[in-house]
Amino acid sequence: MGNAEQCDAWAAADAYELYMGRWSRRLAVAFIERLSAAADLAWVDVGCGTGALSAAILDLSNPASLLAIDPSVAFVEHARTVIHDRRASFAVGAAHGLPAGDGTIDVVASSLAYNFFPDRSSALTEFLRVLKPGGLFAFTVWDYPTGGPAFIDAFWQAAAALDPEAAALDEAVRFQFCSEPSLVEELAGAGLAGVRVEALAIPTSFSDFDDLWVPFTLGAGPAPGYVAGLDPGRVDALRQRLSSDIAERGGVASLRATAWMGRGVRAR
Ligand SMILES: C[S@@+](CC[C@H](N)C(=O)[O-])C[C@H]1O[C@@H](n2cnc3c(N)ncnc32)[C@H](O)[C@@H]1O
């Protein structure tokens, strides 16, 4: 595990909900509405976190079954606690080892998690194993390279202005492959057919600067994981720098987050 991955803190479920869950739930709804899948399918939600995408699948897609899986014990426990649905089951585990038989799944879905898989190639091989012929892999990732989630982009730019070591942790640097051509190439290269990648955007408006800032101090996610390692003086300097940078971007009410939604099918 490199330095960057050490900041990827996926343990505090309530903190995650405040930092990202409130936006990932919104993105999940847009994702599932755009996907417009048929009813009565067998789904897996890989990297389910606290359950944002699973909830959208259950609410909007009328699945026959849904397996929600994530390596974070605390996140899976949170998802299990908030989702009460007889079609849903939950497991602790990673993308490269799904507890599903060969050719048994109609849709492998994943939201905002694909870029965190340490070995995406093994994950795609695993998805092709569990998918039925004609089955679908569909996912979202933030469009990090162009500053997709503006509040996160502003955070890393402020952090790098104060700490040269933060530049390598910037998600726009770590996840440069989150662009349309790279994602298409990656999925097609893994053997998926009919690959399409399209843009999806949601508003992320905060009530005031603290509504944006406080979740960065709660320790869940890459940027909060970075803040957790700073001493109080550096945290305060970062807060001030980010506050002035956000004001220059037009303030907390005007921020947006853009994502890529990708899909490809297992050829028959
Ligand atoms: C940004 S969160 C997204 C969670 C949720 N899908 C959502 O939309 O809120 C990224 C998730 O990826 C999970 N993750 C990290 N590595 C993983 C892996 N190898 N396999 C599956 N999930 C992984 C993390 O535990 C975390 O829950």
Side-chain angles (χ1 to χ4, degrees):
M1 187 186 280
N3 284 343
E5 288 78 13
Q6 281 166 14
C7 282
D8 294 349
W10 307 122
D14 291 339
Y16 176 81
E17 281 293 304
L18 269 181
Y19 174 61
M20 183 55 68
R22 56 178 158 164
W23 310 123
S24 67
R25 285 176 190 280
R26 198 177 278 192
L27 182 71
V29 168
F31 172 29
I32 293 304
E33 283 179 350
R34 181 82 64 89
L35 202 58
S36 197
D40 296 320
L41 299 180
W43 292 67
V44 179
D45 173 6
V46 184
C48 67
T50 49
L53 180 62
S54 292
I57 293 166
L58 292 162
D59 288 349
L60 302 171
S61 288
N62 195 14
S65 64
L66 167 69
L67 169 64
I69 183 164
D70 195 284
S72 166
V73 174
F75 280 11
V76 171
E77 205 40 51
H78 182 98
R80 199 196 302 273
T81 305
V82 297
I83 294 173
H84 303 277
D85 191 304
R86 56 173 179 74
R87 298 167 296 178
S89 58
F90 302 87
V92 174
H96 60 269
L98 300 179
D102 296 359
T104 55
I105 301 298
D106 295 296
V107 187
V108 172
S110 187
S111 198
L112 303 180
Y114 180 71
N115 53 296
F116 293 108
F117 301 161
D119 183 348
R120 298 190 303 281
S121 168
S122 297
L124 291 173
T125 300
E126 177 68 349
F127 300 165
L128 285 166
R129 178 187 73 78
V130 301
L131 282 172
K132 296 175 183 173
L136 177 70
F137 169 51
F139 69 99
T140 72
V141 289
W142 291 127
D143 176 9
Y144 292 104
T146 65
F151 69 106
I152 294 177
D153 184 58
F155 172 90
W156 285 118
Q157 292 200 13
L162 300 175
D163 172 10
E165 288 184 14
L169 305 177
D170 184 341
E171 288 154 87
V173 173
R174 290 176 61 194
F175 304 134
Q176 283 176 31
F177 70 92
C178 291
S179 69
E180 184 182 4
S182 297
L183 292 167
V184 169
E185 192 182 323
E186 198 161 293
L187 265 61
L192 285 148
V195 173
R196 272 170 54 195
V197 173
E198 60 197 284
L200 212 54
I202 58 159
T204 49
S205 31
F206 299 86
S207 56
D208 55 25
F209 179 71
D210 273 340
D211 186 33
L212 178 150
W213 169 252
V214 170
F216 281 111
T217 67
L218 301 179
Y226 167 75
V227 175
L230 299 178
D231 63 48
R234 292 173 72 196
V235 172
D236 199 43
L238 179 53
R239 184 189 185 285
Q240 285 179 34
R241 173 72 193 225
L242 181 58
S243 174
S244 90
D245 288 359
I246 289 282
E248 266 180 36
R249 287 178 182 233
V252 291
S254 61
L255 300 172
R256 282 179 72 71
T258 55
W260 295 113
M261 167 181 167
R263 64 181 102 182
V265 297
R266 178 183 161 186
R268 285 174 195 282

